[in-house]
Structure formats: C-alpha cells, structure tokens
Amino acid sequence: MKKIGAIGCGMIFVIITSQAQIPRTWTVDGGLTFSHFQQQVKAEVGDPRGERLVNELQFGVMALGAWKIWDYASIGAFMQYDRGNRHAARFNGFDPANGKTVTVDKIGGNYRELWAGPFVRVQWKNLFGEFGYGLFGFRDDEARTDLKSSAGDSTGSFSLNPSIAWYAALGGAVALWDAWDLVIRMEYRLRYYNKREGNSFQSNIEHGTQNITPYIGLRWQF
C-alpha cells in the first residue's frame, strides 16, 4: 500500500509540474471603462447645485484576444464599445427664487461608438504596453447635428477614417488564481471620422475625437 501511495503521489506531482510548464500562448481580456466629467458654478461652495455647465458620463466594454509570438510580444485583435451622454452650456446667472445656477445655449445628447482592429502588445513580467489600429468603426452622436454629410444628412452614423485611428495603452496584470489575472490599464485613443452614412462630410472636413480612459478587467491565459 505504501508503494502504491508513493507511486500515486509521484504521478500527481508529475502531472501538476508538467501542467505548470505548458506555455500559455493565448490570452483573452474583457473589461470595463468608465469616465465622468462635470463643471458647475455656485455663488459659494455648499450652495445648492443648479444646471451644470458641462456634464459627461460614459461607460464602455472592451474585449481583446492575443497570441504570444515571443516571450515579450503578442499580436491580436480588439473590439471596444462605448455609450455615454454629455451636455455643455453657457452660464447665465442664478435663479432669484432659489439661487441655483441657470444656463443657456445647451447642446448635447447621447452617443455610442464601436470600433475594432488589430493590436500589438509588448510585455515584461507583469507590465505591458499596447498599440492598436482602428480598422473599422462608427459613431452615433446626437450632439453633432451640425456636421452634415455631402448629401445633407445630419443624423446618420459617422464612419471611421482608418488612416487616423489608433490607441496606445500602458498597464499591469496581477495574478488572481491559476490562469486568471486582474488587469488595470490606461488608454489614450485618437480617431477621426470623415463620412456620415457613407457620404463624405460637407467640404470634406474631418471630425476628430480623443480620450484618456482607465480600464479594469480580467485576463485568461491558455
């Protein structure tokens, strides 16, 4: 019985160590982004808040899949979707009835955006950097009815200009258990849109958008 037990323990040890030595060449990431920005005016700090001068709230999800081609480099593809609401206005004094801020010339509305493409990741230990290219993308933006297409459309989706659409990110991974890591990263994203509903903007203008966005998610290695 002792020999059988020893053999059994030895087999378990070999299986565990051999599994630990299997190189994990694929990773799948999924995570959330969030940002909130606002500006307001008050006669004094602590007074009741009235209408905001600027208010923007955005949520997003991002998924990435990568293949490790070298100990320090991976290539893959990403997809990111954002949805938010923003408004901006001009200060127009205080309401004499309650002292709250009053604004005028308010513009804004809801927006949603999807873009996807390939990326390269360079990693060292638990740190990494990424550079991604937006191959495909669109954006719906209720606030930008002033940007009309050459056909006169002011409500359709913007189309991404793939010649200027990229992101760069820095982050780190913290091991949680087995093949799962917690990932925290900061992303800078720059992209331009040059069409609306398939037609170029009037006068062939370009519409640029950029973000600096924190991200938190999970990574599975296999």
Side-chain angles (χ1 to χ4, degrees), residues 60-178:
V61 294
M62 189 173 189
L64 308 94
W67 173 50
K68 184 182 289 185
I69 58 174
W70 184 42
D71 286 344
Y72 303 104
S74 301
I75 58 174
F78 74 91
M79 182 174 67
Q80 186 167 359
Y81 176 77
D82 297 317
R83 189 175 184 89
N85 177 280
R86 76 182 184 283
H87 287 89
R90 298 177 61 190
F91 175 60
N92 194 41
F94 299 98
D95 188 336
N98 52 31
K100 293 183 178 181
T101 303
V102 177
T103 62
V104 294
D105 301 331
K106 185 177 181 179
I107 63 170
N110 297 318
Y111 62 88
R112 61 191 181 100
E113 182 174 24
L114 174 71
W115 75 321
F119 76 94
V120 176
R121 178 185 294 148
V122 178
Q123 61 256 351
W124 179 73
K125 295 185 177 180
N126 292 334
L127 302 177
F128 65 88
E130 291 175 356
F131 184 83
Y133 167 67
L135 186 63
F136 161 82
F138 76 87
R139 181 182 177 93
D140 288 330
D141 196 333
E142 295 177 357
R144 293 273 65 92
T145 57
D146 52 339
L147 301 180
K148 297 182 180 181
S149 73
S150 57
D153 186 2
S154 61
T155 59
S157 298
F158 299 146
S159 299
L160 191 70
N161 180 353
S163 64
I164 311 176
W166 55 269
Y167 82 84
L170 294 174
V174 179
L176 295 179
W177 65 88
D178 193 22

Side-chain angles (χ1 to χ4, degrees), residues 12 25 84 144 158 197 203:
I12 293 173
T25 58
R144 293 273 65 92
F158 299 146
E197 287 298 295
S203 303

Side-chain angles (χ1 to χ4, degrees), residues 27 31 43 53 84 90 124 212:
T27 61
L53 300 182
R90 298 177 61 190
W124 179 73
I212 297 178

Side-chain angles (χ1 to χ4, degrees), residues 166-218:
W166 55 269
Y167 82 84
L170 294 174
V174 179
L176 295 179
W177 65 88
D178 193 22
W180 290 90
D181 295 337
L182 174 69
V183 178
I184 299 174
R185 63 201 282 277
M186 186 65 71
E187 173 190 285
Y188 171 73
R189 185 170 23 147
L190 174 68
R191 65 277 193 206
Y192 275 76
Y193 292 92
N194 59 356
K195 294 181 180 180
R196 184 164 221 158
E197 287 298 295
N199 297 306
S200 299
F201 287 126
Q202 291 181 352
S203 303
N204 291 316
I205 63 173
E206 301 267 355
H207 172 42
T209 306
Q210 59 181 323
N211 303 70
I212 297 178
T213 310
Y215 164 102
I216 184 168
L218 293 176

Side-chain angles (χ1 to χ4, degrees), residues 52-68:
R52 297 182 180 95
L53 300 182
V54 177
N55 187 54
E56 180 171 0
L57 182 65
Q58 175 180 294
F59 293 91
V61 294
M62 189 173 189
L64 308 94
W67 173 50
K68 184 182 289 185

